[in-house]
Amino acid sequence: MFEELLEDIAQSNGLREVNPYLKLAAALGAILLCLLSTSWVAPLAIALLLSLGVLLLARVEPRTYAKLFIAPLSFALVSVLVILLVTGGSGPLWAWNPLPWLSLSLTRESVGEAALVLARMIGGMSALIFLAVTTPMTDLFLVMRQCRLPETVLDLAMMIYRAIFLILDQLVQTYQAQRMRLGYSSFGESVRSLSTLCGSVFIGSWFAGEDLVRAMEARCSAGKFAMLGRIQPVEARPLLAVTAFLAVSAAIVALTGDVTAMQGVP
Amino acid sequence: MEGFLPLQWAVFWWLVALPCLAVGVYQLNRVLSADREALPLLGVTGGFIFILSSLKLPSVTGSSSHPTGTGLSAIAFGPWITAVIGAIVLLFQALFLAHGGLSTLGANIVSMGVAGPLVGWGAYRVLRETRVSMFFTVFLACALTDLFTYIVTSLQLALAFPAEVGGFPSSFIVFLGIFAITQVPLAILEAVILVLVFRYIVQLRPGILIRLKIFPEEKILAVAGEG
C-alpha cells in the first residue's frame, strides 16, 4: 500500500508549476461548496470537473486515479447504509423494528439524505485528491511558513515528513527480510515479527533523526529548518481557470438547491 | 472522510480542536527549548503514528478500522502535544494517501489526537506511581487510547446523523457496533505491539525515559538492567 504515495505523483504532475495558493483555493473552495450544497447534483458535478482537471491537466494515470477512490468509498458505503436505515421520514417504504430502541426504515427522506452524503463524499474526496496529486508537500511547507504557522510546528512537521520516508524505507526492507525467513507463517509468528519489526525500525529511525539534529547543530542551526524553493507567481490562465471553476460550481450549487433523490417517485 | 460531516459539525469540531492545539503548541515550545534532543523522538513518533494509522485493515464490516498508535505519544509527551502530532499526521494522511479529509480534520483531531490520548494518558497517570507493572500500564494506556478514539468517532457520527427513533443514542449504538467488532481485537493487538516497542526503548535508551520523567527512575532501571 505504500509503494505509491501521492507525494510521488505530485512531484511530477502537469500542474506542478502552478501557484499553490490557486490550487489550494480550488480544492478548499470545492470542499466548502460540496458541504454547502443541499442537492446531490452539485457535488457530483464538482467531482466531474475536478476529475477532468486531474486527468487532462495534471495528467495523472486514470487507473491510479480510480484506485484512490476505492478505499474511501468502501468506508463511505457502510456509513451511508447506516444513515439510510436510521434516518427517519414520513411514509416509510420499508421498516423493521428489531429492538424497542432501534427502528430501521427506508423512507424518501432517508434515501435523499444518504444520496446527499454520498455525493458530498465523492465531491470532497475528488477535491482532496486534486490537492494531493497536484501540490507537493514541500510547496505547502512554504505556504505554511508564509501563513505564519508557529516555527516549532513547522519544524516538527518537517521532522515527521522526513521520518515517514525513513521509516517506510527500513520497514519495507526489514519486512521483506522477515518474510523470506518465514516470519509471517503463523499468527503468533506474525505478532512476534511485527513487534520486532516496529521496535527495530522505531529505534533505527530515531537514531537517524538524532544524527540529523546533531549534524544541524554542528552547523550552528538555531532550530529552524531552512527552506529553499520559491512560490510560483500567479499566472493569468490558471487564475482564470480557478475563478471559472469556482464560479460555475457555485452557480450549480445555487441552481440545483432543491433537487433531491427520488423526487419523481410518488 | 471528506464531505461526510455536515458543515456545522465540521466547524464545531474545528472549534473544539483549536484550543487543544494551542495548548499543545505552547507545551511543544517549552519542551523543545528545554531539550532540543526531543525533536527526533517527536518526529519518529509522528512517523510511526502515520504508518500505523495508515494500516487500514480489511474488516468484517467493511468500515475503516486501523490502529492509531497515539498511545505511546500520549505517555511520552502528554495529550496536548499528541494533539499537535496527530494534527500534522492527519494532514499528511489526507495529502499523501487521501485518507481522511480537510473539513473533517477538526473532528479527527478531536477523536484521535485529543480524546483518545487524554483517556490513555489518564490511565497512565493513575497507574504510574502504583505497583502495577510498567508494561501493563503501557498496554492499558495504548489499548484505551485506541478504543476511546473509536468511541468518540462513533459519537461524532451519531451526533451528526441521529436516528429517527431513539435519536442520538440509538444511532450511537449502531455506529459503535460497527466499529467495535473490528476495533476491540485491533486495540489489543496494537497495545501488545506498542508495549514491545516500549520495551525496546527501555532496554536501549533508558536515559531519555528518565529525563522525560515517564516512569519513576527505579522502575525503568530495574527493567533496563535485566534486558
Side-chain angles (χ1 to χ4, degrees), chain A residues 128-147:
Chain A
L128 181 66
I129 293 175
F130 171 81
L131 185 66
V133 297
T134 59
T135 318
M137 204 60 219
T138 41
D139 284 10
L140 290 179
F141 282 139
L142 288 170
V143 171
M144 286 182 202
R145 177 162 284 173
Q146 278 194 353
C147 295

Side-chain angles (χ1 to χ4, degrees), chain A residues 79 82-83 86-87 113 117 120, chain B residues 3-6 9 155-164 167-168 171-172 175:
Chain A
S79 307
V82 175
I83 294 175
V86 301
T87 311
E113 171 91 355
V117 171
R120 272 183 185 161
Chain B
F4 193 68
L5 286 180
W9 284 111
L155 187 86
Q156 289 170 333
L157 291 172
L159 278 173
F161 303 99
E164 180 201 14
F168 155 73
S171 80
F172 179 48
F175 279 112

